[in-house]
Amino acid sequence: MKVSVIGAGNVGATCAEVMANRQIASQVVLLDIAEGLAEGKAMDIMQCAPNSKFDTVVKGSTNDYSTTANSDVVVITSGIPRKPGMTREELIGTNAGIVKSVIENTLKYSPNAIFVIVTNPLDTMALAALKISGLAKNRVIGMGGALDSSRFKYFLSQKLNKPILEIEGMVIGGHGDTTMLPLINLASYKGVPVTDLLTSEEQEEIIKSTMVGGATLTKYLGTSAWYGPGAAVANLVDSILYDRKKMIPCSVLLEGEYGHQDLFIGVPCIIGKNGLEEIVELKLNASEQEKFNSSVEAIKETNKELTNILG
Ligand code: APR
């Protein structure tokens, strides 16, 4: 099974490393526009193999898309971060342009691939990818909620002082500080609702920490995080390649689900060999639905920029 990761930056390379280390794919291609970067990172990852004991073959390429031929999954992490003085609109324009060229180039060589979009602003870039590619909605999946949910589980486990693997928690809504919706009412420790175990102040604190989870890391690191995003992408790819049908919150096209349509937003999805296999409709309470609706409005506002760019 072959996965191509476009963008060999922090997230792309980490995702490739996790996929190799866990032997999720037999072949991984890292591709970047920066001369030699993907080759160097691929070589470094391959030199882990004797110690980490994997036989996944990782190759790097500077912009030669023929190396990506016949990929089962294409992960798009290529993009630029927002630079000082750059408006949100300029960022969307630049990254949409990058996503466009990547989709066109990869589709040529891998017409049957499933696309996982990671480039920010995520929900808008995933919509762009769908529009540009003209693919069926099951083949374009945005990775956002998987990462936000793992951050939610981390903060829950810290506050509860319980093992992180014994925590369940899900974040839906937009993949942004103000648009995501950590579903505290559904979170549990070994099936025990966390709302029975934490005060409302503690619950609020966890929700807030989750929502600014990415920004907190950026403050520490001086750039956005990569271990969490890389692992979240790899887990999503694993569910596709092995048809595991895991329920993972992903940014996908709504067509009436949750009362909305014509946008990509995070909702629980069953992910298998066809990519998006089913959207799971949770029963949200009134306050959750209201927050979800606000998230929809915010994403649609951002998406307007895309309409200006893509027509
Ligand atoms: N084709 C291929 N690669 C490209 C292109 C392009 N047209 N344009 C940019 N790139 C590459 C850059 O050279 C860089 O190596 O994309 C890579 C992006 O890597 P980083 O800047 O390290 O960004 P990273 O932290 O990996 O984040 C990638 O994921 O979470 C999101 O907001 C984040 O949009 C960003 C993306």
PDB file of all heavy atoms in Angstrom, residues 6-13 31-34 37 41 63 65 76-81 95 97-99 101-102 118-121 147 175 223-226 229, ligand 1:
ATOM      1  N   ILE A   6       2.429  15.083   0.529  1.00  0.00           N
ATOM      2  CA  ILE A   6       2.909  16.271  -0.172  1.00  0.00           C
ATOM      3  C   ILE A   6       3.142  17.372   0.869  1.00  0.00           C
ATOM      4  O   ILE A   6       2.219  17.764   1.588  1.00  0.00           O
ATOM      5  CB  ILE A   6       1.887  16.742  -1.238  1.00  0.00           C
ATOM      6  CG1 ILE A   6       1.398  15.549  -2.087  1.00  0.00           C
ATOM      7  CG2 ILE A   6       2.512  17.841  -2.096  1.00  0.00           C
ATOM      8  CD1 ILE A   6       2.469  14.765  -2.808  1.00  0.00           C
ATOM      9  N   GLY A   7       4.371  17.838   0.887  1.00  0.00           N
ATOM     10  CA  GLY A   7       4.808  18.762   1.950  1.00  0.00           C
ATOM     11  C   GLY A   7       5.637  17.953   2.927  1.00  0.00           C
ATOM     12  O   GLY A   7       5.091  17.121   3.661  1.00  0.00           O
ATOM     13  N   ALA A   8       6.951  18.144   2.880  1.00  0.00           N
ATOM     14  CA  ALA A   8       7.837  17.388   3.781  1.00  0.00           C
ATOM     15  C   ALA A   8       8.295  18.267   4.937  1.00  0.00           C
ATOM     16  O   ALA A   8       9.401  18.136   5.442  1.00  0.00           O
ATOM     17  CB  ALA A   8       9.041  16.854   3.000  1.00  0.00           C
ATOM     18  N   GLY A   9       7.403  19.174   5.340  1.00  0.00           N
ATOM     19  CA  GLY A   9       7.703  20.030   6.495  1.00  0.00           C
ATOM     20  C   GLY A   9       7.517  19.243   7.781  1.00  0.00           C
ATOM     21  O   GLY A   9       7.586  18.008   7.787  1.00  0.00           O
ATOM     22  N   ASN A  10       7.254  19.972   8.853  1.00  0.00           N
ATOM     23  CA  ASN A  10       7.165  19.318  10.164  1.00  0.00           C
ATOM     24  C   ASN A  10       6.058  18.267  10.218  1.00  0.00           C
ATOM     25  O   ASN A  10       6.279  17.148  10.672  1.00  0.00           O
ATOM     26  CB  ASN A  10       6.911  20.369  11.243  1.00  0.00           C
ATOM     27  CG  ASN A  10       8.158  21.168  11.553  1.00  0.00           C
ATOM     28  OD1 ASN A  10       9.270  20.691  11.328  1.00  0.00           O
ATOM     29  ND2 ASN A  10       7.989  22.381  12.052  1.00  0.00           N
ATOM     30  N   VAL A  11       4.878  18.624   9.768  1.00  0.00           N
ATOM     31  CA  VAL A  11       3.746  17.694   9.887  1.00  0.00           C
ATOM     32  C   VAL A  11       3.889  16.537   8.890  1.00  0.00           C
ATOM     33  O   VAL A  11       3.721  15.364   9.256  1.00  0.00           O
ATOM     34  CB  VAL A  11       2.397  18.427   9.678  1.00  0.00           C
ATOM     35  CG1 VAL A  11       1.233  17.441   9.697  1.00  0.00           C
ATOM     36  CG2 VAL A  11       2.198  19.499  10.749  1.00  0.00           C
ATOM     37  N   GLY A  12       4.220  16.867   7.636  1.00  0.00           N
ATOM     38  CA  GLY A  12       4.332  15.838   6.610  1.00  0.00           C
ATOM     39  C   GLY A  12       5.392  14.802   6.963  1.00  0.00           C
ATOM     40  O   GLY A  12       5.164  13.588   6.865  1.00  0.00           O
ATOM     41  N   ALA A  13       6.553  15.271   7.386  1.00  0.00           N
ATOM     42  CA  ALA A  13       7.646  14.343   7.686  1.00  0.00           C
ATOM     43  C   ALA A  13       7.312  13.500   8.921  1.00  0.00           C
ATOM     44  O   ALA A  13       7.610  12.302   8.956  1.00  0.00           O
ATOM     45  CB  ALA A  13       8.939  15.113   7.902  1.00  0.00           C
ATOM     46  N   LEU A  31       7.065  14.365  -0.779  1.00  0.00           N
ATOM     47  CA  LEU A  31       7.373  15.273  -1.895  1.00  0.00           C
ATOM     48  C   LEU A  31       7.281  16.707  -1.406  1.00  0.00           C
ATOM     49  O   LEU A  31       6.353  17.059  -0.672  1.00  0.00           O
ATOM     50  CB  LEU A  31       6.386  15.024  -3.043  1.00  0.00           C
ATOM     51  CG  LEU A  31       6.618  15.825  -4.331  1.00  0.00           C
ATOM     52  CD1 LEU A  31       6.207  15.003  -5.560  1.00  0.00           C
ATOM     53  CD2 LEU A  31       5.848  17.148  -4.330  1.00  0.00           C
ATOM     54  N   ASP A  32       8.253  17.513  -1.803  1.00  0.00           N
ATOM     55  CA  ASP A  32       8.228  18.929  -1.410  1.00  0.00           C
ATOM     56  C   ASP A  32       8.790  19.766  -2.545  1.00  0.00           C
ATOM     57  O   ASP A  32       9.547  19.281  -3.391  1.00  0.00           O
ATOM     58  CB  ASP A  32       9.068  19.140  -0.145  1.00  0.00           C
ATOM     59  CG  ASP A  32       8.665  20.393   0.620  1.00  0.00           C
ATOM     60  OD1 ASP A  32       9.012  21.507   0.166  1.00  0.00           O
ATOM     61  OD2 ASP A  32       8.003  20.264   1.669  1.00  0.00           O
ATOM     62  N   ILE A  33       8.409  21.023  -2.511  1.00  0.00           N
ATOM     63  CA  ILE A  33       8.911  21.945  -3.531  1.00  0.00           C
ATOM     64  C   ILE A  33      10.324  22.433  -3.195  1.00  0.00           C
ATOM     65  O   ILE A  33      11.086  22.824  -4.078  1.00  0.00           O
ATOM     66  CB  ILE A  33       7.909  23.131  -3.671  1.00  0.00           C
ATOM     67  CG1 ILE A  33       8.054  23.819  -5.009  1.00  0.00           C
ATOM     68  CG2 ILE A  33       8.029  24.108  -2.512  1.00  0.00           C
ATOM     69  CD1 ILE A  33       6.901  24.763  -5.309  1.00  0.00           C
ATOM     70  N   ALA A  34      10.670  22.385  -1.921  1.00  0.00           N
ATOM     71  CA  ALA A  34      12.002  22.852  -1.494  1.00  0.00           C
ATOM     72  C   ALA A  34      13.054  21.816  -1.879  1.00  0.00           C
ATOM     73  O   ALA A  34      12.961  20.647  -1.468  1.00  0.00           O
ATOM     74  CB  ALA A  34      12.008  23.088   0.016  1.00  0.00           C
ATOM     75  N   LEU A  37      14.750  18.784   0.368  1.00  0.00           N
ATOM     76  CA  LEU A  37      14.175  18.614   1.715  1.00  0.00           C
ATOM     77  C   LEU A  37      13.537  17.238   1.896  1.00  0.00           C
ATOM     78  O   LEU A  37      13.793  16.522   2.871  1.00  0.00           O
ATOM     79  CB  LEU A  37      13.127  19.709   1.987  1.00  0.00           C
ATOM     80  CG  LEU A  37      12.467  19.648   3.356  1.00  0.00           C
ATOM     81  CD1 LEU A  37      13.448  20.047   4.461  1.00  0.00           C
ATOM     82  CD2 LEU A  37      11.228  20.555   3.427  1.00  0.00           C
ATOM     83  N   LYS A  41      14.793  14.173   4.354  1.00  0.00           N
ATOM     84  CA  LYS A  41      13.957  13.648   5.449  1.00  0.00           C
ATOM     85  C   LYS A  41      13.661  12.160   5.233  1.00  0.00           C
ATOM     86  O   LYS A  41      13.655  11.378   6.176  1.00  0.00           O
ATOM     87  CB  LYS A  41      12.682  14.465   5.575  1.00  0.00           C
ATOM     88  CG  LYS A  41      12.982  15.882   6.062  1.00  0.00           C
ATOM     89  CD  LYS A  41      11.873  16.449   6.893  1.00  0.00           C
ATOM     90  CE  LYS A  41      12.260  17.847   7.381  1.00  0.00           C
ATOM     91  NZ  LYS A  41      11.161  18.550   8.024  1.00  0.00           N
ATOM     92  N   ASN A  63       9.481  17.707  -5.993  1.00  0.00           N
ATOM     93  CA  ASN A  63       8.491  18.091  -7.006  1.00  0.00           C
ATOM     94  C   ASN A  63       8.336  17.168  -8.214  1.00  0.00           C
ATOM     95  O   ASN A  63       7.780  17.594  -9.222  1.00  0.00           O
ATOM     96  CB  ASN A  63       8.811  19.515  -7.505  1.00  0.00           C
ATOM     97  CG  ASN A  63       7.606  20.410  -7.340  1.00  0.00           C
ATOM     98  OD1 ASN A  63       6.694  20.084  -6.590  1.00  0.00           O
ATOM     99  ND2 ASN A  63       7.568  21.501  -8.066  1.00  0.00           N
ATOM    100  N   TYR A  65       6.276  14.507  -9.487  1.00  0.00           N
ATOM    101  CA  TYR A  65       5.020  13.832  -9.134  1.00  0.00           C
ATOM    102  C   TYR A  65       4.914  12.415  -9.683  1.00  0.00           C
ATOM    103  O   TYR A  65       4.072  11.651  -9.242  1.00  0.00           O
ATOM    104  CB  TYR A  65       3.823  14.691  -9.557  1.00  0.00           C
ATOM    105  CG  TYR A  65       3.541  15.786  -8.554  1.00  0.00           C
ATOM    106  CD1 TYR A  65       4.182  17.022  -8.635  1.00  0.00           C
ATOM    107  CD2 TYR A  65       2.677  15.584  -7.490  1.00  0.00           C
ATOM    108  CE1 TYR A  65       3.948  18.015  -7.695  1.00  0.00           C
ATOM    109  CE2 TYR A  65       2.440  16.568  -6.546  1.00  0.00           C
ATOM    110  CZ  TYR A  65       3.074  17.781  -6.657  1.00  0.00           C
ATOM    111  OH  TYR A  65       2.841  18.753  -5.714  1.00  0.00           O
ATOM    112  N   ILE A  76      -2.129  15.889   1.961  1.00  0.00           N
ATOM    113  CA  ILE A  76      -1.640  17.219   1.573  1.00  0.00           C
ATOM    114  C   ILE A  76      -1.367  18.076   2.811  1.00  0.00           C
ATOM    115  O   ILE A  76      -2.307  18.478   3.516  1.00  0.00           O
ATOM    116  CB  ILE A  76      -2.638  17.930   0.630  1.00  0.00           C
ATOM    117  CG1 ILE A  76      -2.898  17.064  -0.612  1.00  0.00           C
ATOM    118  CG2 ILE A  76      -2.111  19.312   0.231  1.00  0.00           C
ATOM    119  CD1 ILE A  76      -3.831  17.691  -1.635  1.00  0.00           C
ATOM    120  N   THR A  77      -0.095  18.304   3.067  1.00  0.00           N
ATOM    121  CA  THR A  77       0.289  19.184   4.186  1.00  0.00           C
ATOM    122  C   THR A  77       0.990  20.426   3.662  1.00  0.00           C
ATOM    123  O   THR A  77       1.417  21.267   4.435  1.00  0.00           O
ATOM    124  CB  THR A  77       1.246  18.474   5.180  1.00  0.00           C
ATOM    125  OG1 THR A  77       2.542  18.356   4.578  1.00  0.00           O
ATOM    126  CG2 THR A  77       0.751  17.108   5.590  1.00  0.00           C
ATOM    127  N   SER A  78       1.158  20.500   2.342  1.00  0.00           N
ATOM    128  CA  SER A  78       1.910  21.623   1.779  1.00  0.00           C
ATOM    129  C   SER A  78       1.127  22.914   1.956  1.00  0.00           C
ATOM    130  O   SER A  78      -0.092  22.955   1.798  1.00  0.00           O
ATOM    131  CB  SER A  78       2.175  21.366   0.294  1.00  0.00           C
ATOM    132  OG  SER A  78       0.992  20.917  -0.334  1.00  0.00           O
ATOM    133  N   GLY A  79       1.854  23.947   2.266  1.00  0.00           N
ATOM    134  CA  GLY A  79       1.228  25.250   2.433  1.00  0.00           C
ATOM    135  C   GLY A  79       2.217  26.174   3.095  1.00  0.00           C
ATOM    136  O   GLY A  79       3.340  25.780   3.393  1.00  0.00           O
ATOM    137  N   ILE A  80       1.786  27.399   3.291  1.00  0.00           N
ATOM    138  CA  ILE A  80       2.668  28.323   4.016  1.00  0.00           C
ATOM    139  C   ILE A  80       1.945  28.751   5.293  1.00  0.00           C
ATOM    140  O   ILE A  80       0.719  28.819   5.328  1.00  0.00           O
ATOM    141  CB  ILE A  80       3.035  29.567   3.170  1.00  0.00           C
ATOM    142  CG1 ILE A  80       1.752  30.304   2.726  1.00  0.00           C
ATOM    143  CG2 ILE A  80       3.886  29.205   1.974  1.00  0.00           C
ATOM    144  CD1 ILE A  80       1.988  31.779   2.534  1.00  0.00           C
ATOM    145  N   PRO A  81       2.700  29.024   6.341  1.00  0.00           N
ATOM    146  CA  PRO A  81       2.064  29.547   7.541  1.00  0.00           C
ATOM    147  C   PRO A  81       1.737  31.030   7.344  1.00  0.00           C
ATOM    148  O   PRO A  81       2.313  31.671   6.459  1.00  0.00           O
ATOM    149  CB  PRO A  81       3.137  29.361   8.619  1.00  0.00           C
ATOM    150  CG  PRO A  81       4.424  29.278   7.889  1.00  0.00           C
ATOM    151  CD  PRO A  81       4.138  28.868   6.472  1.00  0.00           C
ATOM    152  N   ASN A  95      -2.594  29.437  -0.057  1.00  0.00           N
ATOM    153  CA  ASN A  95      -2.707  28.003   0.224  1.00  0.00           C
ATOM    154  C   ASN A  95      -3.701  27.306  -0.716  1.00  0.00           C
ATOM    155  O   ASN A  95      -3.484  26.153  -1.096  1.00  0.00           O
ATOM    156  CB  ASN A  95      -3.057  27.761   1.699  1.00  0.00           C
ATOM    157  CG  ASN A  95      -1.819  27.883   2.583  1.00  0.00           C
ATOM    158  OD1 ASN A  95      -0.713  28.001   2.069  1.00  0.00           O
ATOM    159  ND2 ASN A  95      -1.997  27.854   3.888  1.00  0.00           N
ATOM    160  N   GLY A  97      -4.078  28.080  -3.791  1.00  0.00           N
ATOM    161  CA  GLY A  97      -3.293  27.914  -5.011  1.00  0.00           C
ATOM    162  C   GLY A  97      -2.382  26.696  -4.915  1.00  0.00           C
ATOM    163  O   GLY A  97      -2.243  25.924  -5.876  1.00  0.00           O
ATOM    164  N   ILE A  98      -1.768  26.520  -3.748  1.00  0.00           N
ATOM    165  CA  ILE A  98      -0.880  25.366  -3.537  1.00  0.00           C
ATOM    166  C   ILE A  98      -1.697  24.070  -3.584  1.00  0.00           C
ATOM    167  O   ILE A  98      -1.330  23.109  -4.270  1.00  0.00           O
ATOM    168  CB  ILE A  98      -0.113  25.507  -2.194  1.00  0.00           C
ATOM    169  CG1 ILE A  98       0.882  26.673  -2.286  1.00  0.00           C
ATOM    170  CG2 ILE A  98       0.600  24.205  -1.822  1.00  0.00           C
ATOM    171  CD1 ILE A  98       1.566  27.045  -0.976  1.00  0.00           C
ATOM    172  N   VAL A  99      -2.813  24.065  -2.883  1.00  0.00           N
ATOM    173  CA  VAL A  99      -3.665  22.859  -2.869  1.00  0.00           C
ATOM    174  C   VAL A  99      -4.109  22.526  -4.296  1.00  0.00           C
ATOM    175  O   VAL A  99      -4.110  21.364  -4.707  1.00  0.00           O
ATOM    176  CB  VAL A  99      -4.883  23.058  -1.920  1.00  0.00           C
ATOM    177  CG1 VAL A  99      -5.934  21.983  -2.120  1.00  0.00           C
ATOM    178  CG2 VAL A  99      -4.410  23.075  -0.459  1.00  0.00           C
ATOM    179  N   SER A 101      -2.587  23.172  -7.215  1.00  0.00           N
ATOM    180  CA  SER A 101      -1.540  22.561  -8.053  1.00  0.00           C
ATOM    181  C   SER A 101      -1.227  21.142  -7.565  1.00  0.00           C
ATOM    182  O   SER A 101      -0.974  20.234  -8.370  1.00  0.00           O
ATOM    183  CB  SER A 101      -0.293  23.436  -8.119  1.00  0.00           C
ATOM    184  OG  SER A 101       0.474  23.287  -6.959  1.00  0.00           O
ATOM    185  N   VAL A 102      -1.271  20.936  -6.266  1.00  0.00           N
ATOM    186  CA  VAL A 102      -0.977  19.599  -5.729  1.00  0.00           C
ATOM    187  C   VAL A 102      -2.053  18.594  -6.154  1.00  0.00           C
ATOM    188  O   VAL A 102      -1.752  17.476  -6.575  1.00  0.00           O
ATOM    189  CB  VAL A 102      -0.855  19.646  -4.182  1.00  0.00           C
ATOM    190  CG1 VAL A 102      -0.802  18.244  -3.597  1.00  0.00           C
ATOM    191  CG2 VAL A 102       0.375  20.444  -3.771  1.00  0.00           C
ATOM    192  N   VAL A 118      -4.632  18.512   5.150  1.00  0.00           N
ATOM    193  CA  VAL A 118      -4.151  18.958   6.469  1.00  0.00           C
ATOM    194  C   VAL A 118      -3.863  20.467   6.464  1.00  0.00           C
ATOM    195  O   VAL A 118      -3.875  21.124   7.498  1.00  0.00           O
ATOM    196  CB  VAL A 118      -2.875  18.173   6.875  1.00  0.00           C
ATOM    197  CG1 VAL A 118      -2.451  18.491   8.300  1.00  0.00           C
ATOM    198  CG2 VAL A 118      -3.080  16.664   6.732  1.00  0.00           C
ATOM    199  N   THR A 119      -3.611  21.015   5.289  1.00  0.00           N
ATOM    200  CA  THR A 119      -3.252  22.431   5.154  1.00  0.00           C
ATOM    201  C   THR A 119      -4.346  23.334   5.731  1.00  0.00           C
ATOM    202  O   THR A 119      -5.540  23.122   5.491  1.00  0.00           O
ATOM    203  CB  THR A 119      -3.060  22.763   3.647  1.00  0.00           C
ATOM    204  OG1 THR A 119      -2.096  21.865   3.107  1.00  0.00           O
ATOM    205  CG2 THR A 119      -2.601  24.196   3.450  1.00  0.00           C
ATOM    206  N   ASN A 120      -3.920  24.347   6.470  1.00  0.00           N
ATOM    207  CA  ASN A 120      -4.862  25.300   7.073  1.00  0.00           C
ATOM    208  C   ASN A 120      -5.125  26.504   6.169  1.00  0.00           C
ATOM    209  O   ASN A 120      -4.278  26.813   5.332  1.00  0.00           O
ATOM    210  CB  ASN A 120      -4.291  25.790   8.418  1.00  0.00           C
ATOM    211  CG  ASN A 120      -4.682  24.849   9.548  1.00  0.00           C
ATOM    212  OD1 ASN A 120      -5.811  24.357   9.585  1.00  0.00           O
ATOM    213  ND2 ASN A 120      -3.761  24.613  10.470  1.00  0.00           N
ATOM    214  N   PRO A 121      -6.245  27.185   6.320  1.00  0.00           N
ATOM    215  CA  PRO A 121      -7.367  26.880   7.212  1.00  0.00           C
ATOM    216  C   PRO A 121      -8.102  25.634   6.714  1.00  0.00           C
ATOM    217  O   PRO A 121      -8.659  25.625   5.619  1.00  0.00           O
ATOM    218  CB  PRO A 121      -8.248  28.118   7.161  1.00  0.00           C
ATOM    219  CG  PRO A 121      -7.865  28.848   5.916  1.00  0.00           C
ATOM    220  CD  PRO A 121      -6.474  28.448   5.556  1.00  0.00           C
ATOM    221  N   LEU A 147      -7.105  15.403  15.608  1.00  0.00           N
ATOM    222  CA  LEU A 147      -6.070  16.056  16.412  1.00  0.00           C
ATOM    223  C   LEU A 147      -6.692  16.769  17.616  1.00  0.00           C
ATOM    224  O   LEU A 147      -6.231  16.618  18.752  1.00  0.00           O
ATOM    225  CB  LEU A 147      -5.317  17.068  15.538  1.00  0.00           C
ATOM    226  CG  LEU A 147      -4.380  18.029  16.250  1.00  0.00           C
ATOM    227  CD1 LEU A 147      -3.257  17.267  16.955  1.00  0.00           C
ATOM    228  CD2 LEU A 147      -3.799  19.037  15.265  1.00  0.00           C
ATOM    229  N   HIS A 175     -12.059  23.484  12.710  1.00  0.00           N
ATOM    230  CA  HIS A 175     -10.716  23.240  13.234  1.00  0.00           C
ATOM    231  C   HIS A 175     -10.057  24.596  13.494  1.00  0.00           C
ATOM    232  O   HIS A 175      -9.128  24.999  12.819  1.00  0.00           O
ATOM    233  CB  HIS A 175      -9.917  22.422  12.217  1.00  0.00           C
ATOM    234  CG  HIS A 175      -8.523  22.105  12.670  1.00  0.00           C
ATOM    235  ND1 HIS A 175      -8.241  21.499  13.862  1.00  0.00           N
ATOM    236  CD2 HIS A 175      -7.324  22.331  12.078  1.00  0.00           C
ATOM    237  CE1 HIS A 175      -6.924  21.356  13.975  1.00  0.00           C
ATOM    238  NE2 HIS A 175      -6.353  21.859  12.911  1.00  0.00           N
ATOM    239  N   THR A 223       6.511  27.766  16.440  1.00  0.00           N
ATOM    240  CA  THR A 223       5.879  27.365  15.174  1.00  0.00           C
ATOM    241  C   THR A 223       4.791  26.363  15.551  1.00  0.00           C
ATOM    242  O   THR A 223       4.725  25.938  16.696  1.00  0.00           O
ATOM    243  CB  THR A 223       6.911  26.738  14.210  1.00  0.00           C
ATOM    244  OG1 THR A 223       6.249  26.420  12.988  1.00  0.00           O
ATOM    245  CG2 THR A 223       7.534  25.469  14.760  1.00  0.00           C
ATOM    246  N   SER A 224       3.955  25.992  14.575  1.00  0.00           N
ATOM    247  CA  SER A 224       2.856  25.111  14.980  1.00  0.00           C
ATOM    248  C   SER A 224       3.364  23.679  15.191  1.00  0.00           C
ATOM    249  O   SER A 224       4.428  23.292  14.695  1.00  0.00           O
ATOM    250  CB  SER A 224       1.710  25.181  13.979  1.00  0.00           C
ATOM    251  OG  SER A 224       2.172  24.964  12.689  1.00  0.00           O
ATOM    252  N   ALA A 225       2.571  22.918  15.943  1.00  0.00           N
ATOM    253  CA  ALA A 225       2.992  21.592  16.406  1.00  0.00           C
ATOM    254  C   ALA A 225       3.066  20.582  15.263  1.00  0.00           C
ATOM    255  O   ALA A 225       2.498  20.815  14.186  1.00  0.00           O
ATOM    256  CB  ALA A 225       1.989  21.106  17.447  1.00  0.00           C
ATOM    257  N   TRP A 226       3.755  19.464  15.510  1.00  0.00           N
ATOM    258  CA  TRP A 226       3.848  18.443  14.453  1.00  0.00           C
ATOM    259  C   TRP A 226       3.658  17.013  14.952  1.00  0.00           C
ATOM    260  O   TRP A 226       3.107  16.189  14.249  1.00  0.00           O
ATOM    261  CB  TRP A 226       5.160  18.575  13.687  1.00  0.00           C
ATOM    262  CG  TRP A 226       6.406  18.540  14.526  1.00  0.00           C
ATOM    263  CD1 TRP A 226       7.119  17.431  14.862  1.00  0.00           C
ATOM    264  CD2 TRP A 226       7.079  19.649  15.134  1.00  0.00           C
ATOM    265  NE1 TRP A 226       8.199  17.786  15.641  1.00  0.00           N
ATOM    266  CE2 TRP A 226       8.203  19.148  15.824  1.00  0.00           C
ATOM    267  CE3 TRP A 226       6.830  21.025  15.170  1.00  0.00           C
ATOM    268  CZ2 TRP A 226       9.081  19.964  16.543  1.00  0.00           C
ATOM    269  CZ3 TRP A 226       7.709  21.835  15.873  1.00  0.00           C
ATOM    270  CH2 TRP A 226       8.821  21.304  16.548  1.00  0.00           C
ATOM    271  N   PRO A 229      -0.270  16.388  15.199  1.00  0.00           N
ATOM    272  CA  PRO A 229      -0.872  16.343  13.856  1.00  0.00           C
ATOM    273  C   PRO A 229      -0.378  15.146  13.036  1.00  0.00           C
ATOM    274  O   PRO A 229      -1.157  14.475  12.370  1.00  0.00           O
ATOM    275  CB  PRO A 229      -0.403  17.660  13.217  1.00  0.00           C
ATOM    276  CG  PRO A 229      -0.100  18.568  14.368  1.00  0.00           C
ATOM    277  CD  PRO A 229       0.357  17.695  15.496  1.00  0.00           C
TER     278      PRO A 229
HETATM  279  N1  APR B   1       4.366  21.875  -3.311  1.00  0.00           N
HETATM  280  C1  APR B   1       4.963  21.048  -2.415  1.00  0.00           C
HETATM  281  N2  APR B   1       5.331  21.466  -1.204  1.00  0.00           N
HETATM  282  C2  APR B   1       5.101  22.740  -0.880  1.00  0.00           C
HETATM  283  C3  APR B   1       4.473  23.640  -1.757  1.00  0.00           C
HETATM  284  C4  APR B   1       4.095  23.163  -3.027  1.00  0.00           C
HETATM  285  N3  APR B   1       3.506  23.932  -3.928  1.00  0.00           N
HETATM  286  N4  APR B   1       4.368  24.834  -1.133  1.00  0.00           N
HETATM  287  C5  APR B   1       4.893  24.693   0.099  1.00  0.00           C
HETATM  288  N5  APR B   1       5.349  23.433   0.261  1.00  0.00           N
HETATM  289  C6  APR B   1       6.007  22.826   1.403  1.00  0.00           C
HETATM  290  C7  APR B   1       7.039  23.745   2.057  1.00  0.00           C
HETATM  291  O1  APR B   1       8.255  23.742   1.334  1.00  0.00           O
HETATM  292  C8  APR B   1       7.181  23.103   3.446  1.00  0.00           C
HETATM  293  O2  APR B   1       8.237  22.176   3.489  1.00  0.00           O
HETATM  294  O3  APR B   1       5.074  22.576   2.448  1.00  0.00           O
HETATM  295  C9  APR B   1       5.831  22.381   3.646  1.00  0.00           C
HETATM  296  C10 APR B   1       5.046  22.898   4.826  1.00  0.00           C
HETATM  297  O4  APR B   1       5.747  22.560   5.948  1.00  0.00           O
HETATM  298  P1  APR B   1       5.867  23.477   7.274  1.00  0.00           P
HETATM  299  O5  APR B   1       6.057  24.904   6.856  1.00  0.00           O
HETATM  300  O6  APR B   1       6.855  22.833   8.175  1.00  0.00           O
HETATM  301  O7  APR B   1       4.411  23.411   7.903  1.00  0.00           O
HETATM  302  P2  APR B   1       3.839  22.271   8.869  1.00  0.00           P
HETATM  303  O8  APR B   1       4.076  22.660  10.268  1.00  0.00           O
HETATM  304  O9  APR B   1       4.286  20.940   8.394  1.00  0.00           O
HETATM  305  O10 APR B   1       2.279  22.445   8.604  1.00  0.00           O
HETATM  306  C11 APR B   1       1.724  22.079   7.359  1.00  0.00           C
HETATM  307  O11 APR B   1      -0.458  21.704   8.214  1.00  0.00           O
HETATM  308  O12 APR B   1      -1.335  21.979  10.321  1.00  0.00           O
HETATM  309  C12 APR B   1      -1.188  22.541   9.047  1.00  0.00           C
HETATM  310  O13 APR B   1      -1.214  24.929   9.477  1.00  0.00           O
HETATM  311  C13 APR B   1      -0.422  23.848   9.084  1.00  0.00           C
HETATM  312  O14 APR B   1      -1.001  24.459   6.854  1.00  0.00           O
HETATM  313  C14 APR B   1       0.026  23.941   7.658  1.00  0.00           C
HETATM  314  C15 APR B   1       0.269  22.478   7.303  1.00  0.00           C
END
